[in-house]
Amino acid sequence: PLGGSYFVEQLTDEVEAAAWKYIQTIDEMGGAVNAIEAGYIQQEIANSGYEYQRAIETGEKIIVGQNKFVVDEIPLINLLTVTDSIRLLQIEKINKIKAERDNKNVEVLLNNLQQAAKDGRNLMPHILNAAEGYVTLGEISDELRKIFGEY
């Protein structure tokens, strides 16, 4: 009799083969940047999402409680309500941090991050330094978008 490890190994082999197929296709396109610029990766993600949703709606893929074994009961309501006051409180906190931090140091940290991104260096140490210097996630993201753009 075949054990469970046989099936795990078979599934692993299938996943690896599929991954290599994607890698080969992307390599043939000239690399990941070319594949992104050609819209290939975005299209593959969209196709995957479409196929997943289609499989759920046709019953080919079972999601317990969504398309199979659905229980007719009244859902709990008002478990958590988030008011606009939370958003305002967070804005106040960020404004306070920005007012109290060393903004000259923030500028240096963002410049270091930008230069590392331009040079193709490891960004993680620069991101961690920025976070420790009270640079916000939005500011870090904005800096990286300047270099890499948005996809």
Side-chain angles (χ1 to χ4, degrees), residues 65-111:
Q66 184 176 342
N67 67 348
K68 188 90 169 179
F69 309 112
V70 178
V71 177
D72 292 327
E73 62 183 35
I74 299 170
L76 300 173
I77 53 173
N78 295 331
L79 291 179
L80 174 67
T81 52
V82 178
T83 65
D84 198 47
S85 64
I86 300 297
R87 181 182 64 83
L88 297 174
L89 179 65
Q90 289 302 102
I91 290 171
E92 284 177 27
K93 285 182 180 180
I94 287 185
N95 288 338
K96 184 175 190 276
I97 288 170
K98 286 181 176 182
E100 294 175 355
R101 70 186 180 182
D102 180 352
N103 283 303
K104 288 193 186 303
N105 186 47
V106 167
E107 199 173 307
V108 169
L109 292 168
L110 288 173
N111 286 334

Side-chain angles (χ1 to χ4, degrees), residues 3-151:
S5 64
Y6 169 79
F7 295 107
V8 170
E9 186 176 320
Q10 184 179 5
L11 180 61
T12 301
D13 290 345
E14 289 175 23
V15 170
E16 181 182 8
W20 278 113
K21 184 179 174 188
Y22 271 117
I23 290 168
Q24 182 179 2
T25 301
I26 291 168
D27 282 348
E28 289 170 359
M29 296 179 81
V33 173
N34 288 349
I36 290 169
E37 288 174 350
Y40 173 74
I41 293 176
Q42 298 89 320
Q43 187 61 50
E44 286 298 303
I45 292 168
N47 289 346
S48 175
Y50 170 78
E51 286 301 322
Y52 182 82
Q53 187 61 39
R54 186 201 53 76
I56 291 171
E57 291 176 6
T58 63
E60 183 181 330
K61 178 165 187 61
I62 295 173
I63 305 291
V64 174
Q66 184 176 342
N67 67 348
K68 188 90 169 179
F69 309 112
V70 178
V71 177
D72 292 327
E73 62 183 35
I74 299 170
L76 300 173
I77 53 173
N78 295 331
L79 291 179
L80 174 67
T81 52
V82 178
T83 65
D84 198 47
S85 64
I86 300 297
R87 181 182 64 83
L88 297 174
L89 179 65
Q90 289 302 102
I91 290 171
E92 284 177 27
K93 285 182 180 180
I94 287 185
N95 288 338
K96 184 175 190 276
I97 288 170
K98 286 181 176 182
E100 294 175 355
R101 70 186 180 182
D102 180 352
N103 283 303
K104 288 193 186 303
N105 186 47
V106 167
E107 199 173 307
V108 169
L109 292 168
L110 288 173
N111 286 334
N112 291 344
L113 176 63
Q114 184 182 76
Q115 192 58 53
K118 285 179 182 176
D119 295 344
R121 289 184 280 137
N122 182 358
L123 299 180
M124 208 58 211
H126 299 282
I127 291 171
L128 292 175
N129 287 339
E132 289 170 357
Y134 296 98
V135 179
T136 68
L137 179 59
E139 291 169 323
I140 293 169
S141 300
D142 288 344
E143 209 60 43
L144 295 176
R145 275 190 283 272
K146 289 177 190 174
I147 305 304
F148 301 117
E150 269 187 69
Y151 295 97

